[in-house]
Amino acid sequence: KAGVTQTPRYLIKTRGQQVTLSCSPISGHRSVSWYQQTPGQGLQFLFEYFSETQRNKGNFPGRFSGRQFSNSRSEMNVSTLELGDSALYLCASSPGGQGAGEAFFGQGTRLTVV
Amino acid sequence: AQSVTQLDSQVPVFEEAPVELRCNYSSSVSVYLFWYVQYPNQGLQLLLKYLSGSTLVESINGFEAEFNKSQTSFHLRKPSVHISDTAEYFCAVTRQAAGNKLTFGGGTRVLVKP
């Protein structure tokens, strides 16, 4: 069974630009969550999508958005990039349910904003 | 809202010695608890989880954690560590019936010395 695939692995963007990150969950999993990991703030929850609907949302500004497609693949978008958006963005795939299942993480996309 | 506190940011330990990583959580409702491990430049991997039942949970690679409801703790232990256990460990909590939103602690970096 293939794991969670995140693309691209590395990105360098300029302040003010926008970026789209992609996540392909494990086959059959319907829930995709996104997290931001930085040395200063640690792991912070961005949002969760389940069956193409946003089910949970963290405390991030509206510049951070996401969506999920009918095949459960998910994308997150960050507009008007700021230097502080530099981070490792992790995607987690879960069967669905209500938190009792394991979350499988991808290797992440490392975004550097210059 | 839940919160998780990992009391030690770094734990140096000699090979074959025991290690304990401390985790305390706060929540006004029932929760599920997890320990994840992150190796350099990797995503997170689940070590073990507590959902219900026996308060002592074990992983396949020798780690164990004990859920203590009265002390709101979920400490992780291993009786004898290996060099390969060098990694960062994260305690996480999710509220039951709240989707798959995980709240993480700040992480504990374990450095196993020969």
Side-chain angles (χ1 to χ4, degrees):
Chain A
K1 207 177 201 181
V4 179
T5 303
Q6 290 189 246
T7 56
R9 288 292 311 277
Y10 301 92
L11 264 180
I12 300 177
K13 288 287 188 179
T14 302
R15 208 168 27 170
Q17 287 186 313
Q18 74 162 15
V19 67
T20 299
L21 312 182
S22 179
C23 173
S24 292
I26 292 170
S27 177
H29 284 193
R30 297 165 63 193
S31 166
V32 173
S33 299
W34 289 89
Y35 294 85
Q36 182 195 66
Q37 185 176 24
T38 60
Q41 299 298 315
L43 279 156
Q44 293 187 287
F45 173 81
L46 280 154
F47 28 66
E48 178 197 6
Y49 285 87
F50 177 74
S51 294
E52 301 179 64
T53 302
Q54 189 178 83
R55 181 159 72 173
N56 279 302
K57 189 177 187 310
N59 296 322
F60 278 81
R63 300 185 297 108
F64 292 81
S65 63
R67 59 178 175 169
Q68 187 179 34
F69 302 95
S70 58
N71 61 358
S72 293
R73 189 178 71 85
S74 177
E75 290 181 345
M76 69 162 279
N77 184 275
V78 188
S79 62
T80 319
L81 283 166
E82 301 176 0
L83 296 178
D85 296 332
S86 294
L88 180 67
Y89 290 89
L90 292 166
C91 163
S93 159
S94 300
Q98 293 292 339
E102 178 177 351
F104 295 83
F105 284 80
Q107 291 193 296
T109 294
R110 186 164 295 282
L111 171 66
T112 302
V113 182
V114 297
Chain B
Q2 306 95 262
S3 66
V4 180
T5 302
Q6 291 183 243
L7 297 161
D8 306 294
S9 59
Q10 290 189 73
V11 173
V13 58
F14 286 105
E15 195 174 16
E16 298 183 6
V19 70
E20 179 180 76
L21 308 184
R22 295 178 292 169
C23 171
N24 286 91
Y25 70 93
S26 67
S27 176
S28 57
V29 297
S30 295
V31 296
Y32 299 132
L33 293 155
F34 306 83
W35 275 100
Y36 283 86
V37 60
Q38 185 177 35
Y39 299 101
N41 299 314
Q42 299 290 318
L44 280 72
Q45 299 172 29
L46 181 71
L47 263 182
L48 42 76
K49 61 184 177 183
Y50 172 79
L51 304 180
S52 64
S54 172
T55 58
L56 184 66
V57 290
E58 298 176 352
S59 72
I60 58 172
N61 52 0
F63 284 94
E64 64 178 32
E66 186 159 19
F67 169 59
N68 188 317
K69 189 174 181 179
S70 63
Q71 297 186 7
T72 60
S73 67
F74 191 54
H75 300 334
L76 180 70
R77 302 182 185 92
K78 188 170 186 180
S80 175
V81 296
H82 302 128
I83 295 288
S84 60
D85 293 322
T86 294
E88 190 155 20
Y89 294 79
F90 293 92
C91 182
V93 63
T94 187
R95 185 166 52 90
Q96 292 180 14
N100 292 296
K101 174 185 176 180
L102 290 166
T103 300
F104 286 91
T108 298
R109 199 174 296 273
V110 173
L111 176 59
V112 181
K113 304 185 221 179

